[in-house]
Amino acid sequence: QVQLVESGGGLVQPGGSLRLSCAASGGDFSIAVMAWYRQAPGKQRERVALITTTGTTNYADSVKGRFTISRDNAKNTVYLRMNSLKPEDTAVYYCHFFATFVYWGQGTQVTVSS
């Protein structure tokens, strides 16, 4: 059973930055495609960024140029660096692990507000 623990969320002013972390345990992290999703109140969950086992990345248009996903296989951790944050980035951010089966983290709240 894979467990994912996110951290790094919080309250930040518009234009600010945050770095989210997701630590995985109980599975082979090195073969997993990892992603970050987010869900704002009243909206569907959407994928924000994805990173493959070889380091190829993909981003939602709304975050391109502002967010960076990365992974450290030695630490079984995936990161999401978020710069130039906007109020519309406010959401619960979820870590997603895919390797045969799918696992989700519990989510971490990101609030962008002045």
Side-chain angles (χ1 to χ4, degrees):
Q1 183 76 8
V2 173
Q3 292 189 329
L4 304 171
V5 179
E6 299 110 331
S7 60
L11 173 64
V12 64
Q13 292 187 342
S17 298
L18 283 174
R19 189 181 79 157
L20 305 183
S21 300
C22 171
S25 61
D28 189 348
F29 182 83
S30 66
I31 66 169
V33 175
M34 300 299 299
W36 287 95
Y37 284 71
R38 68 185 180 188
Q39 187 166 21
K43 294 189 176 181
Q44 288 189 333
R45 190 172 296 190
E46 63 172 347
R47 193 176 74 199
V48 174
L50 173 150
I51 185 165
T52 69
T53 57
T54 58
T56 300
T57 57
N58 181 268
Y59 298 92
D61 287 343
S62 58
V63 307
K64 279 181 182 177
R66 300 188 298 121
F67 290 12
T68 303
I69 188 171
S70 61
R71 65 191 296 162
D72 185 337
N73 288 346
K75 296 182 177 180
N76 289 355
T77 300
V78 64
Y79 304 96
L80 185 68
R81 177 67 179 181
M82 305 185 293
N83 295 328
S84 302
L85 282 161
K86 305 175 181 180
E88 51 263 43
D89 295 318
T90 295
V92 178
Y93 284 71
Y94 297 92
C95 180
H96 178 276
F97 176 112
F98 172 65
T100 303
F101 298 104
V102 170
Y103 299 91
W104 292 91
Q106 81 287 354
T108 185
Q109 177 70 46
V110 171
T111 302
V112 184
S113 175
S114 55

